[in-house]
Structure formats: C-alpha cells, structure tokens
Amino acid sequence: MNRLSLLLLTFITFACSSDFDEEWKRIPYESVHFNKLVVVGLSHDLETRKFYEVEAVSELEKAGFHAIKGLNIFPQQVTELDHNQDSISTLIVENGVDAVLVIKILHENDDEYMMPEDYSKFKKMYFRRRSFHTYNANYYERPDKYFMIATLYNLKEKHEENEETVIWRASSVILNPAENLEFKKEFIDNTVEHITEQHLIE
C-alpha cells in the first residue's frame, strides 16, 4: 500500500463516534490475547496519574480483563541514567508487558498531537516524556483546545522498525482540564468500553 492510500485509509478510519470527538482503529486488525495489559497515566501530578490508572484498571476488571497499574512497573520519577529506550525495553521484558493503554491530556499545538500512524512507538513516547511530565505548572494556562487522549499499544507485534504498533486511539476536547474530574472519569470509562466491546483485547 502506498503512502497516499495509507493516509486516505487513516483519515477514513479516524472518524467521530458518539463517545469521542475522534476515534481511530487500525484496519484490518484481529483480536489478540494479552497476558499483561498495563495502564499508564501520563501526568506531572502523581495523584492525577493514580486516578487515571486506578479508574481504568477498575473498569477493565469489571469487564473481566486483568490489568495492572503503570506505577507498579514504570516509576513516576526516573533518573538520568534511565532516560533511554534500552532501560524501558528492559522494564517491558522483565515484567512481561505485552500491551499498554496510555491516557493523557495534550494541548492541540503539542508536537505529539498527531495522527496515530505517525505516533506509534510506546518506548519513544516514554523516552520523550521522561518522568511522565506532559506539561509544566503553567501548562493549563495556554489558550485554545486541550484533548484527552487514550492510545492502545500492542507490544507483541513488531513492524519493520522493530517498534510497537498502535491498535486504537481516541480523543475528546476537554474543558477546564485542571478540574474536570467527571469528564476524565467518563472518558476513561468510555475508553474501556470501546476497547473491550470492539474486541481489541481478549
């Protein structure tokens, strides 16, 4: 498939749903059984990260799936020596992680807010985010839009660059991102509902 066809397919499948402003699912894709699904919340604030991870893991367990909080494997703070993809690979292998669900909030002008085909490497994202800081203390004072984003990575499957691939990604505009707890909970619950009912995980 040439790049133009791939882009057209990406735009076609990156469609709106009743629960999200944008939703993308890789097509074709067959359901995969994952032995260890880890939920990683990205936030400079530890309590916010805990909320993301606890809420998602709780909803996954209600749906009959075993999941683990990212804090059990990936620490909130890491040293300079850990800021490389080799150490991340070691953590993944040592802990038998084969799928990761990442939840975060980004400003629309951030470099990482892009189409899923261009943002498909979990280890690269971890490396760039360092200590899971997605913004500084003044981040929410920036104007314009913020998006809450969920991305499901398949760490079992490797493409030609030997990196993980994205299975599914969804985002919604969030107002008052520093305080809108109810929206965050609803977004996470919808995320779990979609990846389970669409049989993206088994």
Side-chain angles (χ1 to χ4, degrees), residues 25-70:
K25 180 173 66 174
R26 204 182 76 198
I27 298 175
Y29 178 77
E30 295 183 2
S31 300
V32 176
H33 171 73
F34 295 110
N35 295 310
K36 185 172 284 189
L37 169 63
V38 178
V39 178
V40 177
L42 296 186
S43 174
H44 75 300
D45 178 70
L46 180 58
E47 291 307 311
T48 299
R49 180 181 178 187
K50 286 179 179 178
F51 172 76
Y52 292 167
E53 296 182 3
V54 169
E55 180 67 22
V57 167
S58 174
E59 290 302 306
L60 282 162
E61 289 179 345
K62 288 178 185 177
F65 294 89
H66 176 61
I68 297 171
K69 296 186 291 293

Side-chain angles (χ1 to χ4, degrees), residues 69-136:
K69 296 186 291 293
L71 277 167
N72 294 349
I73 296 175
F74 304 107
Q76 178 77 356
Q77 301 293 338
V78 292
T79 68
E80 288 297 327
L81 291 176
D82 291 327
H83 288 171
N84 63 79
Q85 293 190 49
D86 289 338
S87 65
I88 300 164
S89 297
T90 299
L91 286 173
I92 290 171
V93 172
E94 287 181 347
N95 290 277
V97 180
D98 53 11
V100 176
L101 175 64
V102 174
I103 301 168
K104 61 187 174 182
I105 292 176
L106 286 179
H107 187 273
E108 66 175 340
N109 292 330
D110 286 353
D111 291 342
E112 291 178 24
Y113 188 71
M114 55 186 71
M115 300 300 290
E117 288 293 333
D118 299 321
Y119 188 59
S120 61
K121 303 174 180 63
F122 170 70
K123 287 183 290 186
K124 181 179 179 181
M125 176 276 297
Y126 182 111
F127 176 68
R128 291 181 62 186
R129 291 296 77 188
R130 304 296 173 123
S131 303
F132 295 104
H133 289 194
T134 59
Y135 43 79
N136 59 35

